[in-house]
Amino acid sequence: MDKAWWKESVVYQIYPRSFADSNGDGIGDLNGITSKLDYLQKLGIDVIWLSPVYKSPNADNGYDISDYEAIMDEFGTMEDYDRMLKAAHEHGIRIVMDLVVNHTSDEHKWFIESRSSRTNPKRDYYIWRDPVDGHEPNNWGSCFSGSAWKFDEKTGQYYLHLFAEKQPDLNWTNPKVRREVFDMMTRWCEKGIDGFRMDVISLISKPDGLPDAPVMGGGLYGDPNICANGPHVHEYLQEMRNTVLSKFDLMTVGECAGVTLEEAKKYANAAGTELNMVFQFEHVGLDGGDGIKWSTKKLPLVPLKENLSKWQNGLDGVAWNSLYFCNHDQPRIVSRLGNDSDQYRERSAKAIATVLHMMQGTPYVYQGEELGMTNYPWTSVDEFNDLESVNGYYELTGKVGMDPKELFPMIAHKSRDNARTPMQWDDSENAGFTTGKPWLAVNPNYTKVNAKEQVSRPDSVFHYYRKLISLRHSSELIVYGHYELLLPDDPDLFVYRRYLGDEELLCAANLSEHARTLDIPERFRDGRVLIQNIPEHDVKDGNMAPYEAYVIRKAR
Ligand code: GLC
Ligand code: CA
């Protein structure tokens, strides 16, 4: 397998709005990030994926961009950005930018021109269609509820928005659009950035003729995922590679809603004609509800193991995996798969981290995950900021007629806002995130769960992540080794081995509240324990306490 720095890296995702506020307006910002680089260096990460910091009216917290080459007022200035980039590089940390080019904001100058008349030269930068029998051009729904089409009175046509109304989709069939996007990307690369995380990049090529889609849960609209892996997506990405990506030393990861294993082999092919790796969604969809995302279920372990193992084995040698449980769109993993009670929060957070970080691929840590931050105890829909949660609540309790008492706990459990509550830095007011009023509520558990306390305590979740990261940095077996799942049907234990040449390791975790036993294969019994989350336990006796995890390397 070819070696590459981005295969050997660990990425840390920052959601700037919620990371660190330097000026007391309650909103995280670039200077806040710069002030925390020492912390990130201590954790040992190699790359920051920065969620969008571009100019935006914030309909979707920066994922609606009105100017790709200016910084959002609330986050600072381009000088602040340049300072942050330079300081990150001085800390040995690379910066990967979020590239949101499936759509822009409706306040982007291209869209303002496009909507001004049917004959405007930029009309064809977006996807406009005539009404059909006085209605929307097809049945597609938006990922954020309602129709994916918005009627524009002025010119009497509909425009397509797979996300919010304020996020019109760009028309990638137009070569001028592709040229504008590639030129913009080149200017960022020339500034010295180190890569792109490409937002919903699997959706850029819409199916020919824009046919109706199968109806989604809720029964009102067609599933916009009909646009996933569309007819020209690979061609566009190859063009992007030839025009921009190949000219710089970058890390590229495509967020690929609706990606299958077979499609991922194309996007992230080892020959490198498109992207380095993709984010797939199958494993984080396993706790979904009946036709809808919302549910109060736990992630089921047997299907989770089966799915992750399919990706481990399926891409080995032919493409490259991204390893993640958390990001700004996902609830907190310790509340979703682990146990966020006082008794088991730390231990289960470490166990989950162990099984993720010992796999083949590039691991992603989302801010606060390294502290075992939990979901927020929501009590009312008015507390949410996220438009997916808010719109979903009103559509499903309104037109669809679901019982609010049944739905609310499901949204509370799965809402993206669980990931977006402010980073918990210390036990002072507002968790040290801001001296002002935070834009979204701070989780009340910050007095117990915070970075300051964990950095000062050697057996914390923070130091456990630090160790996992440093193990990866010192081991080709962990980065490049092959994978084999053991005990696939065991409902409590997640156990696998990695092997490369004559080296081998065993990764074992008990992801349940019961004590269990594990018959450790003979060849590991005189091996070396690389990491364990109950340090005082001699793991080789075969007993596994609730949420116990460890990694043993076979003796040479
Ligand atoms: C991606 C982002 C998400 C955003 C959406 C629309 O899924 O991760 O936060 O809302 O795209 O840009
Ligand atoms: Ca601020």
Side-chain angles (χ1 to χ4, degrees):
M1 180 168 322
D2 289 343
K3 295 187 177 159
W5 64 263
W6 45 265
K7 293 181 179 172
E8 298 174 8
S9 293
V10 177
V11 183
Y12 187 90
Q13 184 194 352
I14 291 183
Y15 193 68
R17 206 175 180 77
S18 304
F19 191 61
D21 174 21
S22 70
N23 63 353
D25 65 355
I27 297 174
D29 46 50
L30 294 172
N31 290 338
I33 295 171
T34 308
S35 75
K36 299 296 184 187
L37 289 169
D38 289 344
Y39 169 84
L40 296 177
Q41 189 175 38
K42 186 174 198 112
L43 181 58
I45 55 96
D46 307 279
V47 177
I48 291 172
W49 149 24
L50 196 61
S51 276
V53 295
Y54 317 91
K55 207 170 198 55
S56 163
N58 277 309
D60 187 19
N61 288 342
Y63 284 90
D64 50 320
I65 298 170
S66 55
D67 185 346
Y68 290 102
E69 294 177 65
I71 298 295
M72 189 190 300
D73 292 334
E74 293 164 328
F75 289 174
T77 62
M78 197 53 93
E79 288 69 48
D80 297 332
Y81 180 88
D82 293 339
R83 231 185 350 263
M84 181 205 66
L85 181 64
K86 183 157 175 280
H89 287 162
E90 285 163 5
H91 281 76
I93 295 174
R94 291 173 153 105
I95 301 281
V96 163
M97 295 295 280
D98 215 308
L99 182 78
V100 188
V101 288
N102 172 70
H103 44 268
T104 68
S105 163
D106 66 342
E107 297 181 32
H108 193 288
K109 63 178 190 241
W110 300 338
F111 191 74
I112 294 172
E113 284 190 46
S114 181
R115 88 188 313 175
S116 68
S117 81
R118 287 197 188 207
T119 53
N120 184 278
K122 295 211 165 46
R123 184 67 171 179
D124 206 25
Y125 271 39
Y126 295 85
I127 301 171
W128 292 96
R129 290 290 183 278
D130 286 326
V132 174
D133 303 330
H135 292 288
E136 287 77 9
N138 66 25
N139 74 346
W140 296 358
S142 146
C143 297
F144 296 153
S145 301
S147 167
W149 296 96
K150 169 82 178 165
F151 188 68
D152 202 47
E153 293 289 343
K154 184 157 185 216
T155 55
Q157 286 190 310
Y158 285 90
Y159 69 83
L160 178 69
H161 61 90
L162 294 184
F163 294 88
E165 268 174 39
K166 285 183 70 63
Q167 292 170 299
D169 281 51
L170 282 165
N171 175 15
W172 274 73
T173 63
N174 182 346
K176 287 194 196 126
V177 167
R178 304 203 295 276
R179 171 51 64 184
E180 297 256 25
V181 168
F182 299 160
D183 286 351
M184 173 275 286
M185 291 171 70
T186 300
R187 288 190 289 273
W188 276 102
C189 292
E190 284 167 349
K191 230 173 163 12
I193 65 157
D194 304 288
F196 295 104
R197 173 269 184 186
M198 302 182 187
D199 194 66
V200 290
I201 203 71
S202 56
L203 302 182
I204 59 177
S205 171
K206 317 305 186 223
D208 295 331
L210 311 185
D212 278 348
V215 170
M216 294 188 275
L220 299 176
Y221 297 101
D223 187 349
N225 269 312
I226 191 173
C227 299
N229 318 310
H232 303 288
V233 66
H234 297 291
E235 179 189 315
Y236 297 154
L237 288 174
Q238 287 162 23
E239 187 183 335
M240 183 192 281
R241 161 79 38 194
N242 296 335
T243 321
V244 189
L245 306 178
S246 62
K247 310 225 154 76
F248 303 89
D249 180 21
L250 303 173
M251 174 180 140
T252 53
V253 49
E255 188 207 22
C256 291
V259 73
T260 57
L261 188 61
E262 290 316 307
E263 280 295 321
K265 290 180 190 169
K266 299 184 204 160
Y267 286 111
N269 68 74
T273 62
E274 298 184 22
L275 305 174
N276 296 150
M277 58 189 125
V278 302
F279 286 117
Q280 60 92 9
F281 282 87
E282 291 176 347
H283 67 305
V284 290
L286 295 171
D287 55 0
D290 193 11
I292 51 174
K293 148 175 182 163
W294 315 110
S295 84
T296 51
K297 288 184 207 153
K298 283 242 154 166
L299 267 175
L301 187 62
V302 170
L304 180 70
K305 293 193 291 187
E306 183 187 340
N307 185 265
L308 290 175
S309 302
K310 176 184 93 176
W311 284 87
Q312 285 289 295
N313 296 323
L315 296 192
D316 189 10
V318 294
W320 191 251
N321 270 298
S322 345
L323 307 173
Y324 80 96
F325 280 137
C326 298
N327 64 39
H328 66 293
D329 296 328
Q330 300 294 332
R332 294 287 180 178
I333 195 65
V334 72
S335 304
R336 191 178 185 184
L337 173 64
N339 182 322
D340 60 13
S341 69
D342 284 350
Q343 189 182 6
Y344 289 129
R345 184 185 58 81
E346 289 224 341
R347 198 193 285 174
S348 67
K350 292 172 185 171
I352 291 167
T354 311
V355 295
L356 192 74
H357 281 250
M358 287 298 124
M359 288 188 184
Q360 187 193 76
T362 299
Y364 288 73
V365 180
Y366 176 71
Q367 65 188 43
E369 182 183 345
E370 77 281 17
L371 307 175
M373 274 178 63
T374 65
N375 277 359
Y376 183 90
W378 309 105
T379 55
S380 145
V381 66
D382 304 330
E383 294 168 334
F384 294 125
N385 166 274
D386 169 36
L387 80 182
E388 184 195 37
S389 312
V390 175
N391 295 354
Y393 179 84
Y394 287 111
E395 180 169 285
L396 291 168
T397 55
K399 282 191 211 146
V400 177
M402 274 183 81
D403 177 357
K405 284 203 200 59
E406 186 195 357
L407 181 62
F408 181 76
M410 297 181 182
I411 299 193
H413 184 61
K414 295 292 289 289
S415 172
R416 308 195 297 177
D417 278 339
N418 286 303
R420 300 176 180 185
T421 62
M423 177 72 177
Q424 292 164 209
W425 291 107
D426 59 36
D427 63 1
S428 69
E429 206 184 345
N430 298 320
F433 162 72
T434 179
T435 55
K437 183 177 176 330
W439 73 277
L440 188 67
V442 175
N443 194 311
N445 65 13
Y446 74 91
T447 50
K448 282 179 296 186
V449 183
N450 65 70
K452 186 169 174 215
E453 189 277 328
Q454 295 203 21
V455 169
S456 70
R457 177 166 53 86
D459 72 349
S460 64
V461 183
F462 176 86
H463 285 286
Y464 195 87
Y465 268 84
R466 201 160 85 98
K467 183 148 191 211
L468 286 172
I469 294 167
S470 89
L471 279 173
R472 173 166 291 261
H473 286 152
S474 62
S475 167
E476 296 215 332
L477 170 61
I478 295 175
V479 176
Y480 295 107
H482 308 290
Y483 169 99
E484 187 193 4
L485 180 68
L486 306 174
L487 308 177
D489 301 322
D490 193 296
D492 302 329
L493 304 184
F494 198 156
V495 186
Y496 59 83
R497 67 182 192 106
R498 302 284 309 280
Y499 57 101
L500 188 68
D502 56 10
E503 293 191 70
E504 189 176 353
L505 65 73
L506 179 77
C507 175
N510 177 4
L511 294 181
S512 81
E513 287 155 36
H514 330 286
R516 286 287 314 261
T517 56
L518 172 66
D519 189 14
I520 296 176
E522 183 71 46
R523 61 192 186 284
F524 290 103
R525 294 207 186 128
D526 56 353
R528 186 157 64 89
V529 177
L530 298 183
I531 190 166
Q532 60 185 134
N533 68 352
I534 308 180
E536 58 280 9
H537 184 197
D538 176 6
V539 300
K540 291 170 197 159
D541 67 9
N543 293 318
M544 292 193 88
Y547 297 106
E548 178 162 12
Y550 52 78
V551 179
I552 309 178
R553 186 175 192 139
K554 195 183 71 177
R556 291 178 207 234

